[in-house]
Structures are given as structure tokens and as C-alpha cells.
Amino acid sequence: MTAAPPSPPIRVLIADDQDMVRTGFRFFLDAQPDITVVAEASNGEEAVALARRERPDVCLLDIRMPKLDGLEATRILAGPGVADPMRVVVVTTFDLDEYVYGALRGGACGFLLKDSGPVLLAEAVRAAAAGDSLVSPSITVRLLQHITAPHATASRLAVPPQVSAATLAEPLTDRELDVVRLVALGHTNAEIAASLFVSLSTVKTHLSSVQLKLAARNRVEIAAWAWQNGHARPEV
């Protein structure tokens, strides 16, 4: 039997206005057997142009860049209404709430701090390429703290306030709640599959059903719903 050909490497674009950051990211990512850097950009306009020309699997965008910032570049490449959205991971030094919300609302599928480390960076690239998402653990914790605070408003993450566990037209199944809880705790689809001893396709099927029932646009809104309705504690 002829062995199946190896999968092509994940093609990555890096956009950052600091040469040293781009060099560091490229050095580490190119060392991964399943990742290759195909383009670099030093500003937002260049990043958009290169992304449209090269069609990388994943775009790593800094936020503060000249000519066009990373949030606007994210909206152009992955935002609502984009016919063929790209997978964007925002990687930044600035741990500010408005940046996190802006990136996720703009279509980013991941948000990492530059000090998260190279291993998490590679994991974020792989997750994005697989259609999954990854957000820095420290950011996830703070997002959930804001979401569950007494003064928090659901509108910050566009989670419909009327959608509660008691008012769902069709309640989530026990297995769907298991998946939702793990999503809210920051697990990737692969981690959820391993934890629940099910296939990756089963996890994706459950998530599709959950999104329909909650009218959620993405994993962040699923996580928000879980925390607002008490389904995200590790002991649940």
C-alpha cells in the first residue's frame, strides 16, 4: 500500500512593525515541521496586500502598526461581510480590553500576547488553520471575569441578553453542555475530543448545534453564555 503524501505545511503571514519580532516569529515557526512563513509585512496596508496576494492559511497581525492598524486589517481580511474570510490571529504586547473585544468582533480567531511564548504561538497557528481558536489563558480568564461581573453587559460581546438557559427554545443536551463547558474553559476542539473520548468531527457537530441553539456567532459568545448561565466551572 502506498503511503499517503504528507500534508502541506501551514502557510503563515507575519505582520509586525518591529524587525526583531518578525525575525523571532519566523525563526521559531519555520523550525516547526508543519508550519512555513510565506510573507512578512511591516505595516497594515502591506499586510492586507500580501495576504490577498499570497492567501496564507493563517495571518499573524500586530495591533499597533503604521498606515493601517491590526484591528482594521483584521476587519478587512476576516470581518463580517468578507466573502472569503482569512484566519487571523492577533498577537500583541498590549493587553487592553478594547483591543481584545475589537479583534474578536473584527473576525480574529485568536488573540495572543507576545510574551505567551513560542509554544503557544505555534498552537494558535495550528488551531487557526484547523478552524479552531485560541486566546491567551490570562486574557480568557479576564474576559470571563468581566462577563460574569454584576455590572457586566452582554452587549460587549454581542451575546443576546435574553438567551438564558431557561429561555432557550431548544435546551442543550447533556453532551452539548459538556462541550460548552470545555469551550468556556479555553479548550481547543482536539482537547475537547480527548477529554470526552469522542471524535473531532463529533465535537464539531455538537458545536454547530450549540451555535444554532444559542444564536452564537463564535466560540467567544458560546463561552460568554456558559459563564453567564453557570455552566463553566471546572467542577460542573
Side-chain angles (χ1 to χ4, degrees), residues 158 160 210-223 225:
V210 168
Q211 280 191 254
L212 285 174
K213 291 179 179 180
L214 301 184
R217 296 179 305 171
N218 51 47
R219 297 170 76 89
V220 177
E221 292 184 3
I222 291 174
W225 180 90

Side-chain angles (χ1 to χ4, degrees), residues 75-89:
R75 284 190 287 271
I76 291 171
L77 296 174
V82 176
D84 189 13
M86 297 187 188
R87 308 294 296 176
V88 174
V89 176

Side-chain angles (χ1 to χ4, degrees), residues 7 33 35 42 49 59 104 111 114 154 177 194 207 211 215:
S7 299
I35 300 174
S42 59
C59 300
L104 296 175
F111 192 103
K114 289 180 181 176
L177 286 172
L207 283 174
Q211 280 191 254

Side-chain angles (χ1 to χ4, degrees), residues 97-119:
D97 288 343
E98 58 265 33
Y99 287 164
V100 180
Y101 294 124
L104 296 175
R105 283 198 304 266
C109 60
F111 192 103
L112 291 180
L113 298 180
K114 289 180 181 176
D115 62 4
S116 296
V119 173

Side-chain angles (χ1 to χ4, degrees), residues 160-208:
Q162 73 276 14
V163 178
S164 68
T167 60
L168 285 177
E170 183 180 357
L172 302 187
T173 66
D174 289 342
R175 183 54 94 188
E176 287 170 349
L177 286 172
D178 289 338
V179 172
V180 164
R181 177 175 63 84
L182 293 174
V183 167
L185 294 174
H187 293 260
T188 66
N189 285 358
E191 291 169 340
I192 294 171
S195 179
L196 299 180
F197 303 102
V198 298
S199 68
L200 191 60
S201 61
T202 297
V203 172
K204 292 179 179 179
T205 297
H206 285 317
L207 283 174
S208 295

